[in-house]
Amino acid sequence: MKQETIIIGGGIIGLLSAYQLANAGQQVVLLESGETGSEASWAGGGIVSPLYPWRYSPAVTALAHWSQDFYPGLGESLRAHTGVDPEVHETGLYWLDLEDEEDALTWASAQGRPLQRVAMEQVHAAVPVLGEGFSNAVFMPGVANVRNPRLLRALRVALAGMANVRIVEHCPVTGFLHEGGRVLGVQTAKGEMRGERVVVAAGAWSGELLATLGLALPVKPMKGQMILFKCAEDFLPSMVLAKRRYAIPRRDGHVLVGSTLEDVGFDKTPTEDALDSLRATAAELLPALADAEVVRHWAGLRPGSPDGVPYIGEVPAYKGLWLNCGHFRNGLVLAPASCQLLTDLILGRKPTLDPAPYAVAGRLL
């Protein structure tokens, strides 16, 4: 059966791309080498903001701001339609002892974002479990986190209920069908599949796929490890971030602490060294966690890319081949805007955002 769009990858980018295209009336088949939502998108923390938004380019900022505005409505719509609540949880975010605090405040003023200095006594009043030893803080209200495993499950349920979507799991893609500079489909472990276009949304594996066409996409795996504690529901009222590590509260009292950043290829084995380091971070940020049980410890592979600017658009050398990949640490943050932009471009609609910074032309090595 000929499909309009074949999407490779069942993480947040692949699932949401499929959802947006299907809602626009397209026939979609989504191919996943394992099970949908089981890789980096599942493993992340789900903060709906880059960790240090002022350190990113305007290209990342534009996607982030659009997505931040979109997330509450997306969460509510998915909950209403699927019965699975992605838990878009607005807690605000405290940054502690920033080296570039002035840059952060200048950026926020220019962007119209409500970032402000807060006296440490106010921070301790608002977050009584916070550790001592921090000198300065800035706070942005309204920053949310999304419970990413539930977001992925909600999208999976939504897609399963759409007649114009087919999801094929345990179906690794091994290469592309192409002729005369046009991609016609894919080769998979389950045989050939043909379509009008193919979208690569395979996260850290996207570079390996494109290498089969002789294209060098500078996207590689960057390992991140996290730990999870179970606390009282009111234990941590806001997200806190210091020294590139963070603590994220879920509504039911689970608290995530992360994360490492490791360049070790496709190895996603959790390590004792990382566990010890993350536990030390947890105890420094929130001393009550020093004696808390680690409910779970895991690792995922982020799709590392130069400057974290994703690739969104058609590959000039191969008509019908589209990319939506290379989001690095910000896949969940940037997904709504990225997938909306991809959908606009595929359907020839006026783009939601300027597509130029994300275009593929001139960015492949």
Side-chain angles (χ1 to χ4, degrees):
M1 176 178 172
K2 191 165 188 178
Q3 298 284 343
E4 280 293 313
T5 302
I6 296 169
I7 296 175
I8 307 171
I12 183 61
I13 300 296
L15 289 168
L16 196 52
S17 294
Y19 187 65
Q20 301 278 36
L21 284 164
N23 275 329
Q26 295 293 296
Q27 290 287 127
V28 178
V29 59
L30 186 144
L31 306 178
E32 166 56 43
S33 61
E35 296 180 356
T36 60
S38 61
E39 291 290 351
S41 303
W42 177 91
I47 302 175
V48 186
S49 170
L51 289 187
Y52 300 97
W54 53 90
R55 297 179 188 172
Y56 283 93
S57 67
V60 172
T61 298
L63 293 172
H65 286 180
W66 195 94
S67 296
Q68 285 165 330
D69 292 341
F70 189 82
Y71 253 116
L74 174 65
E76 182 52 37
S77 172
L78 287 170
R79 186 199 61 77
H81 284 99
T82 68
V84 180
D85 186 357
E87 292 188 19
V88 180
H89 184 28
E90 287 192 13
T91 64
L93 174 56
Y94 288 95
W95 285 268
L96 307 172
D97 290 354
L98 280 173
E99 295 175 0
D100 55 352
E101 186 176 292
E102 286 299 332
D103 292 343
L105 293 165
T106 300
W107 172 89
S109 177
Q111 294 289 332
R113 311 306 277 187
L115 184 71
Q116 65 217 29
R117 278 196 182 93
V118 186
M120 284 310 302
E121 53 265 33
Q122 287 179 257
V123 182
H124 283 288
V127 187
V129 291
L130 183 68
E132 300 294 336
F134 298 105
S135 304
N136 302 290
V138 293
F139 178 67
M140 188 182 288
V143 182
N145 67 76
V146 61
R147 199 157 184 174
N148 35 312
R150 297 192 182 184
L151 171 65
L152 296 161
R153 196 185 322 150
L155 284 167
R156 179 71 169 77
V157 171
L159 290 169
M162 301 175 86
N164 55 335
V165 176
R166 186 162 63 101
I167 297 173
V168 186
E169 295 180 312
H170 305 289
C171 185
V173 172
T174 56
F176 298 91
L177 307 174
H178 58 95
E179 188 178 305
R182 181 169 192 91
V183 165
L184 306 171
V186 293
Q187 298 164 331
T188 81
K190 298 184 179 182
E192 293 185 355
M193 295 189 187
R194 292 177 177 262
E196 289 296 313
R197 66 188 67 84
V198 175
V199 176
V200 176
W205 291 265
S206 298
E208 290 202 330
L209 270 173
L210 290 174
T212 66
L213 289 173
L215 299 173
L217 177 76
V219 171
K220 67 175 185 175
M222 294 297 287
K223 182 176 178 179
Q225 300 190 50
M226 308 270 290
I227 54 176
L228 181 70
F229 299 92
K230 181 69 171 77
C231 306
E233 287 184 24
D234 59 354
F235 173 75
L236 182 62
S238 297
M239 294 181 281
V240 292
L241 195 161
K243 301 177 185 175
R244 304 192 71 82
R245 297 278 177 88
Y246 48 77
I248 305 169
R250 302 301 198 211
R251 283 183 182 158
D252 63 1
H254 280 97
V255 174
L256 289 89
V257 174
S259 80
T260 64
L261 184 63
E262 306 164 56
D263 188 356
V264 292
F266 285 95
D267 174 16
K268 58 174 186 172
T269 309
T271 64
E272 286 298 319
D273 285 352
L275 177 60
D276 292 344
S277 174
L278 290 167
R279 289 209 69 146
T281 291
E284 183 180 4
L285 275 175
L286 308 167
L289 294 181
D291 301 317
E293 179 188 355
V294 174
V295 176
R296 191 163 184 181
H297 169 214
W298 66 89
L301 300 174
R302 308 176 187 90
S305 60
D307 304 319
V309 178
Y311 299 79
I312 307 169
E314 194 169 22
V315 177
Y318 287 95
K319 292 297 176 190
L321 178 61
W322 294 75
L323 305 186
N324 194 3
C325 56
H327 294 75
F328 205 174
R329 301 188 76 145
N330 295 312
L332 280 154
V333 187
L334 307 182
S338 298
C339 299
Q340 184 66 50
L341 177 57
L342 177 81
T343 301
D344 291 341
L345 293 172
I346 284 175
L347 299 182
R349 302 190 302 210
K350 179 177 169 56
T352 306
L353 296 156
D354 177 10
Y358 322 102
V360 181
R363 297 179 64 209
L364 299 182
L365 298 178

